[in-house]
Amino acid sequence: MAKKIASKPTPKTKKDSSIKTIQDFVGSRDLPHPVDRLEEVRKRSRKFREKMLSGSQVVFYKSYDLIRVPYPTRYALLNAYSLPTPYMHILNRLFIIQYRTADGIKTLLFSPSDLDGNAETPFFKRLAESFGPFQSIGKKIIAPILNTVEECLQDAGIAPEKVDYISYDHLHTQDIRKWLGANGEKGYFPNAKLLVMKPEWDSVQGLLPPQSDWYCPNGTGGVASDRIVLLDGDVELGQGVALIRTPGHTYGNHSLVAHTPEGIFVSSENGVSADNYSPSKSRIPGVKKYAKTTGMEVILNGNTLEIGLDQYISMVQEKEMAGISKRNPDFYNVMPSSEMTSYWLFPGTAPTFSFGRLSFGSPVT
């Protein structure tokens, strides 16, 4: 049975004046044959990459580690992982990006997770409850908190009122009420707005059971409509930063694309490791063999599989926009918003290559 969200706002669809529509991928997925859609998207992604590289870089880009959470290997490396280890760790991150616009420098927080609110997501709540009376100890071992969003902002020297936008590649596990306020209560970011693709927002308002296990109950309920900016497609937020629709993991999935001194970085959760985007170079048990046997160019992160073929195309799009990593030429500059990390409790799940924390430029405070 579909789940409806109470007190849902009616957001505006008009974008802020500094946000510009991008036309580079319009119609790229309209061809009738899947392979032709893939190659058209690939071709346009490479052109878009060159276009971004010819432009300005962002002013400031920094990633922060928030929390490690267990995640089923059967989802993270869909059909490819060959060991019986049931879980792996993914590291949820916050990205702080500052960039120039005609209206001045803007600040975007990408994936600012409310760790307490997110814990109410049904899948993770059941997992925590499985520890019974040892739930508190179990959480500290299995899901250690490394930083909070508030601590990360303090480290960067950016005041909450200076945050212009928050955004997520998709809204799985997210509770935005703490940040934007709800039901008349003020939020932690008094001036920020949520940037979200319209299909993602629409999904959250009426979920089916395969989706609802991964969304925070009522995580958007009661948020004022003027705090939500619905995006109908790809947009340029300012110099060196764009949000590009990459449907698949969810209908409304989008990717953060940022031009940094180390090239283009692309972030979403269509994949959870560099291995997902270069499976032929992977040393994770089973992944390389699976890619060779099946011809899979990428390995999907598939906990909901809303639109699998589009997700495959989107992951190719992401890696082609990003280009080859300067840190390791076997992999692409795709920095997952939740990145697979090694952990002693989960043997055989160490990524072949990971980015760790990234930091470019200095914050404007």
Side-chain angles (χ1 to χ4, degrees):
M1 184 175 180
K3 293 188 176 182
K4 291 294 235 179
I5 301 297
S7 303
K8 61 182 181 181
T10 303
K12 62 179 183 177
T13 57
K14 183 180 179 181
K15 298 185 292 292
D16 290 2
S17 60
S18 61
I19 300 176
K20 301 177 181 177
T21 300
I22 292 174
Q23 301 288 340
D24 299 61
F25 296 101
V26 173
S28 60
R29 300 185 189 228
D30 293 345
L31 296 170
H33 304 142
V35 69
D36 294 333
R37 296 199 293 272
L38 174 66
E39 294 310 318
E40 181 65 18
V41 168
R42 190 196 306 275
K43 179 179 69 175
R44 296 201 197 188
S45 298
R46 290 172 175 171
K47 289 183 178 179
F48 182 72
R49 166 181 161 76
E50 294 305 316
K51 176 182 172 182
M52 282 208 71
L53 285 172
S54 68
S56 300
Q57 297 176 4
V58 296
V59 173
F60 176 65
Y61 178 112
K62 189 168 184 176
S63 65
Y64 286 89
D65 301 342
L66 293 179
I67 184 173
R68 293 175 180 265
V69 294
Y71 189 63
T73 50
R74 69 181 184 274
Y75 298 145
L77 299 163
L78 188 66
N79 300 320
Y81 186 66
S82 63
L83 294 184
T85 308
Y87 291 98
M88 47 156 277
H89 249 173
I90 54 175
L91 178 56
N92 294 159
R93 286 199 172 101
L94 167 71
F95 299 79
I96 303 177
I97 301 97
Q98 291 183 314
Y99 52 92
R100 295 181 179 87
T101 75
D103 299 324
I105 291 177
K106 300 282 188 179
T107 299
L108 165 72
L109 302 189
F110 192 71
S111 294
S113 293
D114 173 4
L115 304 184
D116 292 328
N118 294 9
E120 294 301 309
T121 301
F123 176 85
F124 291 110
K125 189 171 185 178
R126 286 198 310 274
L127 186 62
E129 290 173 347
S130 69
F131 287 95
F134 303 101
Q135 185 176 150
S136 179
I137 297 174
K139 278 185 176 181
K140 292 179 180 179
I141 296 174
I142 205 82
I145 294 173
L146 307 175
N147 292 289
T148 65
V149 171
E150 295 93 327
E151 290 168 341
C152 297
L153 264 289
Q154 186 175 14
D155 177 79
I158 298 173
E161 60 268 20
K162 296 297 184 180
V163 175
D164 298 286
Y165 302 110
I166 66 172
S167 190
Y168 307 85
D169 45 286
H170 66 298
L171 291 175
H172 279 178
T173 76
Q174 302 302 336
D175 190 330
I176 65 171
R177 294 173 293 181
K178 176 180 180 179
W179 309 132
L180 301 184
N183 301 313
E185 295 290 328
K186 290 185 178 181
Y188 186 75
F189 302 121
N191 302 313
K193 298 176 183 178
L194 173 72
L195 299 175
V196 60
M197 292 290 165
K198 187 175 184 300
E200 184 69 7
W201 187 262
D202 289 343
S203 282
V204 174
Q205 309 313 316
L207 298 165
L208 293 177
Q211 301 169 301
S212 60
D213 209 31
W214 295 95
Y215 284 89
C216 182
N218 206 34
T220 64
V223 178
S225 61
D226 62 357
R227 307 299 296 277
I228 312 298
V229 179
L230 298 185
L231 304 174
D232 294 318
D234 307 335
V235 292
E236 176 188 298
L237 300 184
Q239 294 181 26
V241 62
L243 300 180
I244 302 297
R245 189 170 180 234
T246 49
H249 187 64
T250 66
Y251 276 96
N253 202 88
H254 70 251
S255 301
L256 170 69
V257 182
H259 183 192
T260 77
E262 204 171 300
I264 306 296
F265 275 96
V266 177
S267 296
S268 89
E269 210 174 284
N270 274 319
V272 296
S273 71
D275 295 74
N276 288 75
Y277 294 89
S278 297
S280 65
K281 304 294 184 180
S282 178
R283 295 196 297 269
I284 298 174
V287 173
K288 182 176 181 178
K289 181 179 179 181
Y290 178 79
K292 182 178 180 180
T293 301
T294 62
M296 296 282 282
E297 184 177 347
V298 292
I299 304 298
L300 277 59
N301 170 26
N303 59 335
T304 54
L305 289 178
E306 292 193 19
I307 37 177
L309 284 183
D310 269 307
Q311 185 173 351
Y312 188 93
I313 293 172
S314 290
M315 291 179 71
V316 172
Q317 180 179 8
E318 288 174 325
K319 73 173 189 172
E320 295 291 358
M321 288 190 297
I324 296 296
S325 170
K326 292 181 179 179
R327 303 185 180 204
N328 188 328
D330 286 338
F331 296 93
Y332 292 86
N333 256 9
V334 181
M335 170 66 150
S337 53
S338 294
E339 186 178 29
M340 180 181 184
T341 58
S342 59
Y343 192 53
W344 62 272
L345 273 178
F346 308 132
T349 62
T352 309
F353 169 72
S354 60
F355 288 97
R357 291 185 289 272
L358 298 176
S359 183
F360 306 106
S362 299
V364 177
T365 57

